[in-house]
Amino acid sequence: MSDVIEFDGVQIGDRGRLLVPQVESLGRNTEPMLWSTFAELEDASRNWIYRIRAVVVVVRNADWKLMQYVGSLRASLSGTKADLVGKTGSVARITWPDARRDAIRPSLPEDRRRAGFDANLVLDFTSASDPS
């Protein structure tokens, strides 16, 4: 069975892995982040967020097919907060509620080493909720 990642019910890539999230503390005087609204926190907020990185492989036999896939992925995932789910087969291993997609970029050698396979896309997500 292969690991897959879904965001808002849409499978991302043909195979993927969620890497260990980074916790980021946000204080009252934190500069707002250009790509996220989570830096603008209310006084009752816990003042921290998770940065979750997903590395995926997309099996396409031509560069233009990969670019077409990335374009459709950006369009289908833009502007929404939804559950980010890591699955093995049909079994959900981890769910990050109310995640937001921040970026899609080509993978670097470091990303491929950490993932343990030859991934070709990296997606960054942000969530203010604990995983389940």
Side-chain angles (χ1 to χ4, degrees):
M1 276 190 249
S2 175
D3 289 351
V4 296
I5 299 166
E6 290 182 356
F7 181 70
D8 198 18
V10 176
Q11 181 174 325
I12 302 169
D14 298 301
R15 182 165 69 108
R17 185 160 301 143
L18 293 171
L19 299 180
V20 178
Q22 296 178 338
V23 178
E24 184 173 326
S25 176
L26 300 172
R28 177 174 288 286
N29 297 323
T30 301
E31 290 291 324
M33 294 173 283
L34 293 176
W35 59 90
S36 177
T37 59
F38 288 120
E40 299 168 11
L41 297 168
E42 299 175 8
D43 290 339
S45 173
R46 298 173 302 185
N47 291 333
W48 50 265
I49 59 170
Y50 293 103
R51 299 260 182 217
I52 306 127
R53 179 154 291 161
V55 291
V56 299
V57 63
V58 180
V59 179
R60 301 291 181 267
N61 59 5
D63 287 342
W64 66 270
K65 286 186 179 180
L66 179 61
M67 295 312 295
Q68 188 177 34
Y69 174 77
V70 171
S72 66
L73 194 62
R74 281 193 173 136
S76 65
L77 303 183
S78 68
T80 62
K81 285 186 190 176
D83 288 352
L84 176 65
V85 182
K87 291 183 167 185
T88 300
S90 62
V91 178
R93 292 181 295 109
I94 190 166
T95 300
W96 295 91
D98 294 328
R100 174 183 165 134
R101 181 193 56 84
D102 288 338
I104 300 175
R105 64 173 174 82
S107 67
L108 301 171
E110 175 186 323
D111 299 313
R112 294 188 287 270
R113 278 194 303 275
R114 289 181 63 203
F117 65 95
D118 195 18
N120 54 5
L121 285 182
V122 176
L123 294 93
D124 291 322
F125 294 88
T126 306
S127 178
S129 302
D130 291 334
S132 58

